[in-house]
Amino acid sequence: MTDIELPEGITLLDAPLAGIKVDTPAATGVIYFNGAHIAAWTPAGQHPVLWLSDQAILEPGKAIRGGIPLLWPWFGAGDDGQHTPMHGIARVSTWNLLRAKVSPAGTANIVLGLDGAAVDPGLAPDLPRDYRLELHISMGKTLIVQLVVFAGDSELFFEDGLHSYFAVGDIHKTRIEGLDGAAYSDRLTDGCATQQGAVSFEGETDRIYESRETLRIIDDEWNRTLLIEKVGSAQSVIWNPWIAKAAATPDLGDDDWQEFVCAEAVNVRDQSVNVEPGGRHLISQTISII
Ligand code: TA6
């Protein structure tokens, strides 16, 4: 997965999964080559910003519960509800480490790549194989995550997203600002509505908001605000499984629902992305503590 020389502050991991560990004066973090999965990020002196399940399955080819799963080339089970694996193939494929640098300020700048030709052809038989994905990560006091999709000679049509799990002190004391007035589809009821004020949590929440706006996760328990800016994303998904869904999810602890909220930058369903031959598409989140 890599033959490049690693700078001070970045070391190779081989267990529980192959990957790299970032440990600099600015932040610590973990990135697995399985799914180019950012499994941890903690800026110096802060609570962890990303949440990872203690029961996460850390095996090659398996989806990891927590961190930042990459959603590509479909969301959920796809628009027909028939696609597997859930949320597509990028997060269960083995990526290669292409670049790893650390700035004088201690920011780790990392690039991972996935060539379509290297992906298990059984995973997405309808997909052309001449595409290429890159994940650009800037991990320091701020985390910048950019998923770039490059089309080869064939046009690409896909859904994409960054399915980020954010650690919170207590979901009951957490709200999300930035979606006031945004239309959303409720995946629990198949209904549509318009957000009034901040998003707060009193039960299972699974909504696709039509919004390109910056989000703020206000965490009154830990007395911090996470600022989540995004580029190239027409929608935001807000998800918390709450009690019953958490209990029914094998790689979630029964009480884990209280410790995280997903705020995802996505392009799904009627906002799916079309890239012409030779074109590219970028979706990114910039996450900081303010
Ligand atoms: O993005 C929200 C969602 O689609 C929820 O419906 C729930 O399924 C969540 O993703 C988790 O997906 P995963 O495949 O990681 O179990």
Side-chain angles (χ1 to χ4, degrees), residues 63-65 69 71 75-76 86-87 91 163 165 187 206 237-239 245 249 251 262 264:
I64 298 173
R65 177 73 59 197
L71 312 183
F75 172 77
M86 274 285 280
H87 294 321
R91 70 172 185 168
H163 191 304
Y165 286 70
R187 302 187 73 221
D206 193 350
V237 171
I238 304 300
W239 178 61
K245 181 64 74 65
T249 305
D251 52 359
C262 286
E264 310 162 32

Side-chain angles (χ1 to χ4, degrees), residues 176-180 182 197-199 211 213-216:
I176 297 178
E177 295 180 346
L179 294 167
D180 183 25
V199 181
S211 170
E213 296 302 316
T214 294
L215 304 182
R216 289 172 302 284

Side-chain angles (χ1 to χ4, degrees), residues 8-184:
E8 186 179 350
I10 297 178
T11 52
L12 270 185
L13 288 174
D14 56 17
L17 277 172
I20 54 176
K21 178 168 175 51
V22 172
D23 188 349
T24 77
T28 60
V30 171
I31 301 159
Y32 293 127
F33 298 141
N34 180 57
H37 199 109
I38 304 171
W41 170 54
T42 304
Q46 299 288 349
H47 289 290
V49 175
L50 300 181
W51 181 86
L52 185 75
S53 172
D54 292 341
Q55 300 176 38
I57 300 167
L58 299 176
E59 297 172 11
K62 301 286 189 189
I64 298 173
R65 177 73 59 197
I68 304 183
L70 303 180
L71 312 183
W72 191 85
W74 59 78
F75 172 77
D79 54 3
D80 62 2
Q82 303 300 315
H83 286 59
T84 58
M86 274 285 280
H87 294 321
I89 63 171
R91 70 172 185 168
V92 295
S93 296
T94 299
W95 292 55
N96 292 309
L97 181 62
L98 305 180
R99 192 159 66 235
K101 303 285 185 193
V102 176
S103 76
T107 298
N109 294 296
I110 295 150
V111 180
L112 297 110
L114 179 69
D115 287 338
V119 171
D120 175 348
L123 278 177
D126 302 339
L127 200 61
R129 295 177 59 72
D130 60 354
Y131 65 86
R132 187 166 56 84
L133 307 185
E134 286 185 358
L135 190 72
H136 293 241
I137 302 166
S138 172
M139 182 180 281
K141 286 178 64 179
T142 293
L143 177 64
I144 304 172
V145 184
Q146 300 174 313
L147 174 63
V148 190
V149 179
F150 299 86
D153 297 334
S154 314
E155 178 183 32
L156 286 178
F157 188 73
F158 55 83
E159 297 175 307
D160 66 354
L162 303 171
H163 191 304
S164 305
Y165 286 70
F166 293 102
V168 297
D170 180 347
I171 192 67
H172 300 92
K173 301 177 183 175
T174 298
R175 65 188 183 281
I176 297 178
E177 295 180 346
L179 294 167
D180 183 25
Y184 67 86

